[in-house]
């Protein structure tokens, strides 16, 4: 395990360094992905973070024995399952959100006046370029 063996013994850093780096990376991804997170079931993501936090708390606060390891690993596994469920439901939602009926025409191309980017339609362009406001996206000429 990285936080129990590799980081303390080979990198000569305290175990908390691994937790701090992991938390900083996770917060960075959450901060950068916040425009995309608004339309998702972020309660599942929050539960996953709580489960991972419970795993870290069990590792730090409780003495090492078989039962504590079981509790720590159960919390970690719960976090992994909840995170995978969040990712699956988000991907499925994004893939089926604007599904066309069979035989329906594709949406007309759209262009962002602010960035000059052309996309496959107003919805797809807004998803590709979250910084574009809906008012800046017009039909491509």
């Amino acid at each position: 395990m990285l936080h129990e063996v590799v980081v303390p013994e080979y990198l000569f850093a305290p175990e908390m360094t691994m937790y701090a780096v992991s938390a900083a990376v996770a917060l960075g991804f959450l901060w950068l992905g916040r425009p995309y997170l608004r339309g998702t079931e972020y309660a599942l993501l929050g539960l996953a973070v709580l489960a991972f936090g419970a795993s870290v708390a069990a590792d730090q606060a409780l003495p090492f024995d078989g039962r504590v390891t079981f509790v720590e690993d159960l919390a970690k596994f719960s976090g992994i399952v909840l995170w995978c469920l969040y990712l699956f439901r988000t991907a499925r939602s994004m893939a089926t959100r604007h599904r066309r009926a069979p035989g329906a025409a594709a949406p007309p191309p759209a262009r962002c006046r602010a960035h000059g980017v052309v996309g496959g339609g107003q919805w797809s362009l807004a998803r590709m370029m979250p910084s574009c406001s809906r008012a800046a996206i017009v039909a491509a000429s």
Side-chain angles (χ1 to χ4, degrees):
M1 292 191 212
L2 288 176
H3 69 283
E4 291 181 356
V5 177
V6 175
V7 172
E9 293 184 17
Y10 296 105
L11 299 178
F12 307 109
E15 186 176 347
M16 288 304 289
T17 303
M18 182 71 186
Y19 291 131
V21 169
S22 298
V25 169
L27 288 173
F29 276 116
L30 289 174
W31 179 258
L32 292 174
R34 70 187 185 285
Y36 302 103
L37 291 174
R38 288 188 189 116
T40 65
E41 297 178 29
Y42 50 84
L44 284 172
L45 185 61
L47 288 173
V49 168
L50 283 175
F52 285 129
S55 173
V56 171
D59 184 44
Q60 294 299 309
L62 300 175
F64 182 78
D65 73 358
R67 287 177 291 205
V68 172
T69 302
F70 174 74
V71 169
E72 178 188 349
D73 287 345
L74 179 66
K76 191 182 308 178
F77 183 70
S78 298
I80 292 168
V81 168
L82 288 166
W83 188 20
C84 288
L85 181 63
Y86 166 77
L87 292 173
F88 172 77
R89 290 179 65 99
T90 300
R92 187 184 66 181
S93 171
M94 291 176 122
T96 61
R97 187 172 291 159
H98 290 281
R99 186 183 287 175
R100 290 192 307 261
R111 179 179 59 84
C112 175
R113 289 185 287 206
H115 298 99
V117 176
V118 176
Q122 288 183 344
W123 178 84
S124 63
L125 186 60
R127 296 296 294 166
M128 287 185 339
M129 300 287 296
S131 59
C132 295
S133 68
R134 292 253 183 221
I137 299 174
V138 295
S141 50

